[in-house]
């Protein structure tokens, strides 16, 4: 594990009025991300809300919806043209089971179940008995459904809006965020903030402690194809993948409901930290190169009469992991692998722990019953055990509230894959259905802090759990 150096990002820049036009200027030289204080900024206040959420993934939207439904005024800031994050803009159209590993006890509900039901009305979701791909949905329909959810809740949406830096009071308290969009640069002020950026951008630019593992789980560029033949592809990949420099990793996908379009997740970009600008650029371009390489391989060696057609690429690469923000508690590997229950649990998960290797092909699945499988496309699975058999196996793991509360700033939470977790634990809890629940918990906690005029860390976890339960979440 390596600590991110704040100096790698922070540098003294003198920001003048260039490019700001009628919106004003920053009047003095400030240290980006640390000293953007009220006395040194002359920018318009474009909004004032109770809770501001950076990042409009399902995690961020669900945080906003829960808080807004309780009565808070909420703004959600998203850099893309649509909400949904990886589920929409990255084309990853699969959510895992809402039940425990035995399929007997439902452990997840809330807004995840509500959105699934809403999509079902439009025949935009398929249900499967496979726990790892229980729900496959149409990502484009989900974009529209999230728009509806945001508007129904009364959230102020900001699409095509980029977070630039935090805005601090004279006492160093987080008072707002500086954003840029088509209307220019301005400040959104709020009482509480939720960092749902995935990379922890707000926390990082505030100088909070963060860390990253040496072997980050690699990102994947998904794609939509017509006429896809998985069997033919798997056979050709084993024989000819190296010729086209297609990484020997792991391949999966799903057909979009009521269509003949197949979502393929068959690429991976090694040694890329997508929280670093150059790495992110390289990853985006390399992911697209791999998609073309797949098509070139099929054109050369596949059956000409069954050649699939490439019909869509994502608007950004699917990122599994970048930096983590140090919070009040780090979920240990043992916590997840042995299904530890927490008094302040705010989310449950049963997705297998999938370790995407950077140092060898394929990946390893670890299951809560102690078994494990090493999987590599075109090769026989290698089965074994990561622990001895137990009399009773855990059937789900939990995420505690403490793992999404940063150590500093009393009015700030994180929601999403930047939460505080050890490397193996993270490999399972990171998936979207789990992060959806984390978002809901962040929204409810922020609302209760607002209502009670408390620091985030002083809000009773029992009250958070009770409010989540009243809102439809399953709390165990």
């Amino acid at each position: 594990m390596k600590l991110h150096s704040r100096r790698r990002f922070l540098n003294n820049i003198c920001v003048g009025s260039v490019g700001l036009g009628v919106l004003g200027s920053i009047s003095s030289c400030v240290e980006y991300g640390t000293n953007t204080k009220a006395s040194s900024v002359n920018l318009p206040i474009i909004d004032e809300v109770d809770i501001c959420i950076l990042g409009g993934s399902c995690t961020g939207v669900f945080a906003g919806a829960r808080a807004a439904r309780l009565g808070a005024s909420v703004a959600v800031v998203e850099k893309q043209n649509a909400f949904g994050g990886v589920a929409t803009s990255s084309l990853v159209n699969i959510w895992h089971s809402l039940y425990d590993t035995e399929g007997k006890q439902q452990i997840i509900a809330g807004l995840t179940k509500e959105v699934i039901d809403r999509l079902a009305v439009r025949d935009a979701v398929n249900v499967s008995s496979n726990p790892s791909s229980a729900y496959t949905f149409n990502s484009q329909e989900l974009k529209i459904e999230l728009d509806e959810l945001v508007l129904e809740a009364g959230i102020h949406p900001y699409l095509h809006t980029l977070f630039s830096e935090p805005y601090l009071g004279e006492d160093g308290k987080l008072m707002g965020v500086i954003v840029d969009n088509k209307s220019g640069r301005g400040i959104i002020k709020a009482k509480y903030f939720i960092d749902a950026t995935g990379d922890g951008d707000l926390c990082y630019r505030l100088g909070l402690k963060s860390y990253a593992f040496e072997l980050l789980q690699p990102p994947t560029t998904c794609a939509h194809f017509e006429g896809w033949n998985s069997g033919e592809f798997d056979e050709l990949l084993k024989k000819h993948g190296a010729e086209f420099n297609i990484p020997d990793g792991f391949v999966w996908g799903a057909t979009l409901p009521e269509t003949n379009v197949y979502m393929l997740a068959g690429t991976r970009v090694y040694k890329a930290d997508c929280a670093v600008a150059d790495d992110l650029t390289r990853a985006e371009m390399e992911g697209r190169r791999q998609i073309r390489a797949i098509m070139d391989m099929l054109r050369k060696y596949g059956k000409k009469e069954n050649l699939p057609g490439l019909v869509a690429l994502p608007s950004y690469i699917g990122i599994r992991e970048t930096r983590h923000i140090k919070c009040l508690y780090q979920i240990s590997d043992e916590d997840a692998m042995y299904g530890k229950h927490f008094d302040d649990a705010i989310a449950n998960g049963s997705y297998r722990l999938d370790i995407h290797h950077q140092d060898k092909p394929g990946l390893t699945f670890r299951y809560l019953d102690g078994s494990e499988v090493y999987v590599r496309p075109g090769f026989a699975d290698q089965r074994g055990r990561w622990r001895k058999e137990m009399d009773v196996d855990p059937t789900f793991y939990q995420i505690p509230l403490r793992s999404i509360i940063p150590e500093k700033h009393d009015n700030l939470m994180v929601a999403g894959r930047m939460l505080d977790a050890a490397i193996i634990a993270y490999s399972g809890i990171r998936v979207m259905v789990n992060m959806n629940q984390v978002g809901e918990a962040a929204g409810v906690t922020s609302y209760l802090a607002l209502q009670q005029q408390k620091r985030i860390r002083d809000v009773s976890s029992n009250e958070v759990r009770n409010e989540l339960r009243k809102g439809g979440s399953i709390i165990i």
Side-chain angles (χ1 to χ4, degrees):
M1 185 175 73
K2 59 183 179 182
L3 289 175
H4 277 287
S5 168
R6 191 170 74 177
R7 289 294 170 185
R8 192 173 94 183
F9 172 78
L10 301 176
N11 54 79
N12 289 325
I13 57 172
C14 190
V15 182
S17 59
V18 176
L20 295 177
V22 296
L23 292 181
S25 63
I26 297 178
S27 59
S28 63
C29 190
V30 300
E31 187 178 30
Y32 188 81
T34 57
N35 295 321
T36 311
K37 295 183 178 179
S39 62
S40 63
V41 175
N42 180 23
L43 289 173
I45 306 299
I46 62 175
D47 205 352
E48 293 189 63
V49 295
D50 294 326
I51 301 169
C52 179
I53 300 167
L54 296 181
S57 63
C58 290
T59 302
V61 168
F62 287 5
R66 288 301 289 260
R69 287 179 177 183
L70 289 169
S73 60
V74 177
V76 176
V77 177
E78 168 56 40
K79 64 185 178 181
Q80 295 282 325
N81 75 332
F83 296 114
V86 169
T88 56
S89 296
S90 298
L91 305 182
V92 182
N93 68 324
I94 296 178
W95 282 350
H96 79 265
S97 173
L98 308 186
Y99 286 77
D100 67 1
T101 56
E102 296 179 341
K104 298 177 180 178
Q105 179 184 6
Q106 186 174 351
I107 59 173
I108 301 168
L111 284 170
T112 297
K113 182 62 167 61
E114 179 180 325
V115 166
I116 289 171
D117 291 343
R118 292 167 68 134
L119 290 174
V121 172
R122 291 175 168 80
D123 296 323
V125 62
N126 288 334
V127 182
S128 165
S129 60
N130 184 340
S132 298
S133 57
Y135 305 95
T136 57
F137 49 84
N138 186 314
S139 294
Q140 310 312 312
E141 291 274 10
L142 179 58
K143 287 180 182 179
I144 304 170
E145 203 61 53
L146 293 174
D147 287 344
E148 294 291 327
L149 188 66
V150 164
L151 295 175
E152 289 169 7
I155 295 169
H156 191 160
Y158 288 91
L159 296 176
H160 291 295
T161 300
L162 182 66
F163 160 66
S164 294
E165 53 190 303
Y167 174 75
L168 308 180
E170 290 299 318
D171 58 356
K173 180 179 179 179
L174 179 60
M175 294 176 56
V177 290
I178 298 176
V179 299
D180 294 89
N181 60 24
K182 285 292 186 180
S183 296
R185 167 171 279 209
I187 300 168
I188 299 175
K189 295 185 70 174
K191 299 180 181 69
Y192 291 88
F193 299 83
I194 298 174
D195 185 339
T197 60
D199 300 318
D201 290 335
L202 174 57
C203 293
Y204 187 59
R205 295 179 188 191
L206 282 166
L208 301 188
K209 291 181 181 177
S210 64
Y211 61 91
F213 299 113
E214 293 295 337
L215 295 178
L216 293 171
Q217 296 204 20
T220 289
T221 297
C222 297
H224 283 173
F225 294 89
E226 286 186 333
W228 185 259
N229 185 324
S230 293
E232 181 185 37
F233 172 74
D234 290 344
E235 181 180 342
L236 294 178
L237 180 65
K238 181 180 179 180
K239 292 180 180 178
H240 306 292
E243 177 184 345
F244 295 87
N245 193 22
I246 302 172
D248 187 0
F250 182 68
V251 178
W252 54 278
T255 301
L256 277 63
E258 302 298 317
T259 76
N260 64 347
V261 176
Y262 186 82
M263 186 283 293
L264 175 75
T267 69
R268 57 186 49 229
V269 182
Y270 291 115
K271 298 181 180 178
D273 181 351
C274 291
V276 177
D278 284 347
D279 280 17
L280 178 57
T281 299
R282 177 177 66 83
E284 293 280 17
M285 298 176 72
E286 170 59 17
R288 289 192 289 268
R289 183 205 66 79
Q290 290 181 25
I291 294 295
R292 170 162 282 186
I294 287 171
M295 288 300 299
D296 287 346
M297 180 183 72
L298 294 174
R299 290 186 185 102
K300 183 174 181 179
Y301 295 107
K303 298 176 182 178
K304 301 300 184 285
E305 65 274 15
N306 295 323
L307 186 66
L310 175 63
V311 297
L313 291 171
S315 61
Y316 70 85
I317 194 170
I319 301 172
R320 292 185 175 88
E321 182 179 20
T322 55
R323 66 171 72 97
H324 298 265
I325 303 301
K326 190 72 180 71
C327 292
L328 299 181
Y329 181 81
Q330 184 183 70
I331 305 168
S332 71
D333 293 334
E334 289 73 21
D335 289 342
M337 292 192 296
Y338 289 89
K340 180 177 179 178
H341 287 204
F342 295 92
D343 292 339
D344 63 337
I346 44 82
N348 311 302
S350 59
Y351 185 74
R352 59 198 177 186
L353 307 172
D354 63 349
I355 304 168
H356 289 253
H357 301 294
Q358 288 262 19
D359 53 347
K360 65 179 181 180
L363 57 80
T364 298
F365 293 123
R366 287 188 177 178
Y367 297 87
L368 294 184
D369 66 0
S371 64
E372 70 175 21
V373 183
Y374 174 63
V375 180
R376 183 181 177 188
F379 294 83
D381 294 346
Q382 298 178 24
R383 300 182 179 274
R385 297 193 62 83
W386 62 266
R387 66 160 169 82
K388 296 180 180 178
E389 292 187 8
M390 297 169 55
D391 292 335
V392 179
D393 293 317
T395 60
F396 64 94
Y397 44 78
Q398 295 191 311
I399 300 173
L401 181 62
R402 289 164 289 165
S403 66
I404 60 172
I405 302 176
E407 294 178 325
K408 300 175 76 173
H409 289 282
D410 299 333
N411 59 344
L412 173 63
M413 301 190 74
V414 300
R417 58 180 169 79
M418 79 293 283
L419 86 174
D420 199 351
I423 188 168
I424 297 176
Y426 176 77
S427 70
I429 65 177
R430 65 176 175 79
V431 296
M432 288 185 281
V433 170
N434 295 340
M435 294 302 99
N436 292 351
Q437 299 170 80
V438 167
E440 294 183 68
V444 167
T445 305
S446 297
Y447 168 78
L448 291 174
L450 170 75
Q451 185 185 51
Q452 299 168 10
Q453 298 183 21
K454 287 184 175 180
R455 303 186 303 171
I456 290 290
R457 68 178 62 200
D458 292 336
V459 174
S460 164
S461 60
N462 285 334
E463 290 187 54
V464 174
R465 285 162 54 86
N466 287 338
E467 198 62 61
L468 284 167
R469 187 180 292 112
K470 286 192 292 183
S473 298
I474 293 178
I475 299 297
I476 302 170

